[in-house]
Amino acid sequence: MKLKKIVNTPFVKGSMRYLFKYLSDKQVINLQYRITLNRRLNLKEPKRFTEKIHWYKLNYRTSIMTQCADKYRVRSYIQGKGYEEILVKLYQVCDSYEDIDFASLPDSFVIKSNKGSGTNLFIKDKNKLNKSVIEKTIKQWKTVNTVLMGREWAYQNIKDKIVIEELLVDNSNKTSDINDYKFLCFNGKVEYIWVDTDRHDDHRRNFYNINWEKLNVQSDWPNTNNEILKPDGFEYMVQIAESIAKDFPFVRVDFYWVNGKVYFGEITFYPWSGCVKFVPDSFDYEMGDLFKLPIPTVMK
């Protein structure tokens, strides 16, 4: 049995969570990389993008990263950049499930954790809401420790919040399953974009260069053969992404294009937590070449 399959058993995963409490950041990410990618992590002379993401976790830390990783506090950062108009409408920010005022919410909305990945609840009809399921899910979110398992430092000092926002719906097909445009920025410039489609049904992912030429690259989701047109707001997305990217050596900035308008999604610094296999493998090195490591901000 492969090591990754063994690790994914409930007993082993639970044991690892306990063990990780007593391991250093460096020990954990070396173990994480070895288990998921079946190769040694080179932190002394990193060449791959995936290796440099782990170096980034350990060696580059600024307070603005924590603000931008917080899905609530990042809103003030975007406002400060002069792009308030791209923010999704905010309904409520709560400390706990008990603080949610369901009566004042519209028929549809999104509930999400301000510090999680994949921690979103898409409520399309409030009248069909199962509050007990919502409560259980939200309380489970607080048990997920991104810093413990992935040592993603930017999330370490984020106070748990529940963020409730507008559910974006594409008027052309009356669906909330909209394309997610993710801009990979190195040294202040957008170099690649990946697009996620059908995330709630038949998740697919395509990679593009800045000229919107499809790349023969796969990651953790298969490509779609369907044509993905460059959104009309693409140049504006690039402008915003590069304005944000000036503040960081590397950052991923996410957008939606819905009903003729650009909306901000989120900012992240550690895609895939630095653990993903690219096909071809050379793409890991290509992105690694673009990632010019900064002077460390962490004193050794």
Side-chain angles (χ1 to χ4, degrees):
M1 183 182 292
K2 291 184 177 180
L3 179 59
K4 190 174 181 180
K5 288 186 177 180
I6 296 173
V7 169
N8 281 332
T9 61
F11 174 76
V12 175
K13 288 178 75 172
S15 299
M16 287 183 64
R17 289 191 184 96
Y18 177 80
L19 174 65
F20 278 15
K21 294 179 182 179
Y22 304 99
L23 296 179
S24 68
D25 291 346
K26 191 173 182 179
Q27 287 172 323
V28 167
I29 66 171
N30 271 285
L31 184 59
Q32 179 191 39
Y33 197 82
R34 178 70 179 182
I35 289 170
T36 56
L37 299 179
N38 196 31
R39 60 175 177 251
R40 184 180 67 85
L41 174 61
N42 183 351
L43 289 172
K44 290 184 178 180
E45 295 182 350
K47 302 295 184 184
R48 295 173 176 270
F49 171 74
T50 51
E51 292 173 335
K52 291 186 176 182
I53 287 294
H54 287 290
W55 185 97
Y56 205 30
K57 292 179 187 180
L58 294 175
N59 296 287
Y60 192 80
R61 302 175 176 183
T62 65
S63 60
I64 196 173
M65 292 175 76
T66 298
Q67 179 186 0
C68 289
D70 186 324
K71 292 180 175 62
Y72 171 56
R73 292 180 61 224
V74 69
R75 296 176 65 91
S76 61
Y77 171 81
I78 296 298
Q79 289 172 342
K81 286 285 185 179
Y83 296 113
E84 184 175 3
E85 78 281 357
I86 70 171
L87 293 172
V88 177
K89 185 175 182 180
L90 179 67
Y91 293 134
Q92 295 179 26
V93 181
C94 306
D95 292 321
S96 67
Y97 167 81
E98 289 74 17
D99 295 332
I100 300 175
D101 180 7
F102 285 100
S104 68
L105 290 172
D107 290 337
S108 64
F109 48 89
V110 178
I111 304 175
K112 61 185 183 183
S113 165
N114 68 319
K115 59 183 291 188
S117 176
T119 47
N120 302 300
L121 291 171
F122 299 89
I123 310 302
K124 298 179 181 180
D125 185 350
K126 187 171 70 171
N127 296 319
K128 298 178 181 178
L129 192 66
N130 186 327
K131 291 186 179 180
S132 63
V133 172
I134 299 295
E135 180 179 12
K136 182 179 179 180
T137 301
I138 288 174
K139 290 183 176 178
Q140 284 178 337
W141 289 347
K142 292 194 174 185
T143 67
V144 177
N145 192 329
T146 305
V147 178
L148 174 65
M149 300 303 291
R151 299 302 160 104
E152 298 186 15
W153 173 85
Y155 297 92
Q156 183 167 296
N157 297 312
I158 297 177
K159 182 180 178 182
D160 284 302
K161 295 283 185 182
I162 300 165
V163 180
I164 307 177
E165 295 178 336
E166 177 185 4
L167 177 65
L168 298 177
V169 176
D170 188 339
N171 291 338
S172 65
N173 53 21
K174 304 301 181 183
T175 180
S176 59
D177 201 351
I178 53 182
N179 290 350
D180 195 351
Y181 302 89
K182 300 176 181 291
F183 289 65
L184 297 164
C185 307
F186 301 83
N187 312 302
K189 293 293 183 181
V190 174
E191 297 289 350
Y192 297 111
I193 306 96
W194 93 58
V195 186
D196 284 335
T197 65
D198 299 320
R199 290 171 301 157
H200 308 139
D201 184 20
D202 184 25
H203 194 164
R204 303 281 169 160
R205 175 172 292 161
N206 285 0
F207 288 80
Y208 297 86
N209 62 22
I210 192 66
N211 297 316
W212 203 254
E213 296 166 334
K214 183 181 175 183
L215 305 180
N216 186 24
V217 173
Q218 287 192 15
S219 58
D220 47 338
W221 292 100
N223 295 150
T224 177
N225 292 322
N226 297 330
E227 182 182 12
I228 301 177
L229 298 176
K230 182 171 72 172
D232 291 341
F234 179 74
E235 283 73 20
Y236 190 40
M237 293 180 190
V238 171
Q239 174 189 320
I240 300 168
E242 293 189 343
S243 174
I244 292 168
K246 290 176 182 177
D247 295 335
F248 310 103
F250 166 79
V251 67
R252 194 194 80 199
V253 187
D254 301 357
F255 300 100
Y256 305 106
W257 173 250
V258 185
N259 305 324
K261 187 177 186 305
V262 172
Y263 288 93
F264 170 75
E266 66 179 51
I267 290 173
T268 190
F269 302 100
Y270 319 115
W272 303 282
S273 197
C275 292
V276 64
K277 287 186 178 180
F278 293 106
V279 179
D281 185 58
S282 59
F283 192 62
D284 203 359
Y285 289 99
E286 288 177 27
M287 288 213 294
D289 287 341
L290 292 169
F291 195 164
K292 307 303 180 186
L293 295 179
I295 297 172
T297 60
V298 179
M299 299 298 294
K300 297 295 185 183

